[in-house]
Amino acid sequence: MGVVIGAYELGRHFADGRPGEAFAHARWLWDLERTLHLPDESAFQKWALGWDGWVRAANEYYVRVHFPAILLFMAWMWFRHREGWPRVRAVIAVTAAAALALHFAFPLAPPRMLPGHGLIDLMNVYGPSSYSSKPGEGMANQFAAMPSLHVGWALLVAWGAIRYGGGRLRYIFALHPVLTFLIVVVTANHYWTDGIVGCAIVIVTLWATSRIPALADRMPERTGVSLPRDSVGA
């Protein structure tokens, strides 16, 4: 799995270098979201900046939580819930491959780079930032906004914690994808559509893996829980 994630990150970097297409796609997507009446990312950020005391915490969440969360989730599955590991492993590998294919096919400049809409690059202004101040520099591909696996994998972590975990406290993990989605948009790193597509890729892959007998993750029966449980998630 380390190789899979490493290949995904390296592949994202190789997908860089098409700024003309990335900005054309960004303008097209912005107009499409307005046609679909999705909330305006710029207006959302301006509203949120009415109190900027949360900004550094949001940036820290974006930079520090994503990969540690998915790595800890994988370790938890491997050591504590081995019955679900094959399915989780397949979902991570397939979603990473699908996201990488989209990075190559649809390079997309993030909202913070889109001129004319008043969006602020909160990570560079307030810190910390995981990106170079100039596109094309550093290891991160800044034209890989579509889809957002920050959001997609946050949804996967929440699904896994609720499906395989025990006790009512496990439902608190449902906040993780919600917070992640709001943070990636308000920091102007992603459009709403990026998060929606990231979630859709994870949901479709979860559904597909639930139909493969070799990836069956039958849950041990619990007192007071009626089986079978929803194959896609709580």
Side-chain angles (χ1 to χ4, degrees):
M1 292 310 296
V3 171
V4 167
I5 292 179
Y8 168 69
E9 286 298 303
L10 187 61
R12 278 169 53 94
H13 186 63
F14 287 145
D16 204 349
R18 293 155 64 190
E21 288 184 52
F23 281 101
H25 290 157
R27 290 188 289 270
W28 174 83
L29 186 63
W30 182 274
D31 292 339
L32 176 64
E33 288 193 340
R34 305 295 77 80
T35 300
L36 296 175
H37 302 290
L38 290 175
D40 186 306
E41 288 88 350
S42 178
F44 179 52
Q45 187 187 70
K46 288 176 182 176
W47 171 80
L49 285 174
W51 179 66
D52 63 0
W54 58 268
V55 174
R56 187 172 180 86
N59 290 343
E60 291 280 0
Y61 197 93
Y62 183 91
V63 173
R64 314 289 185 199
V65 173
H66 174 54
F67 273 112
I70 196 68
L71 292 175
L72 286 171
F73 172 63
M74 286 193 294
W76 178 71
M77 289 298 303
W78 171 262
F79 287 109
R80 299 294 301 274
H81 298 281
R82 191 71 62 86
E83 74 281 355
W85 170 249
R87 186 180 180 192
V88 166
R89 177 183 60 197
V91 170
I92 292 173
V94 170
T95 54
L100 190 58
L102 265 175
H103 296 331
F104 277 97
F106 193 79
L108 180 65
R112 57 190 168 80
M113 291 185 182
L114 193 59
H117 298 289
L119 285 152
I120 299 170
D121 186 344
L122 296 185
M123 292 203 302
N124 273 322
V125 172
Y126 291 86
S129 177
S130 57
Y131 302 110
S132 168
S133 59
K134 295 182 179 179
E137 296 183 358
M139 281 300 295
N141 177 6
Q142 299 192 58
F143 298 138
M146 172 67 76
S148 172
L149 281 190
H150 266 77
V151 180
W153 281 355
L155 180 64
L156 176 63
V157 169
W159 169 84
I162 293 170
R163 178 167 175 78
Y164 301 106
R168 292 184 178 180
L169 283 178
R170 72 186 190 277
Y171 290 103
I172 199 171
F173 283 94
L175 292 174
H176 179 43
V178 175
L179 283 174
T180 301
F181 205 160
L182 294 176
I183 285 170
V184 301
V185 173
V186 81
T187 55
N189 284 295
H190 287 282
Y191 305 88
W192 296 109
T193 311
D194 302 335
I196 292 169
V197 173
C199 289
I201 290 172
V202 168
I203 291 168
V204 169
T205 308
L206 284 171
W207 173 84
T209 54
S210 74
R211 298 298 190 268
I212 301 175
L215 300 178
D217 56 347
R218 294 182 182 88
M219 301 295 296
E221 188 169 355
R222 299 173 182 161
T223 303
V225 177
S226 60
L227 296 179
R229 296 181 67 186
D230 184 347
S231 62
V232 174

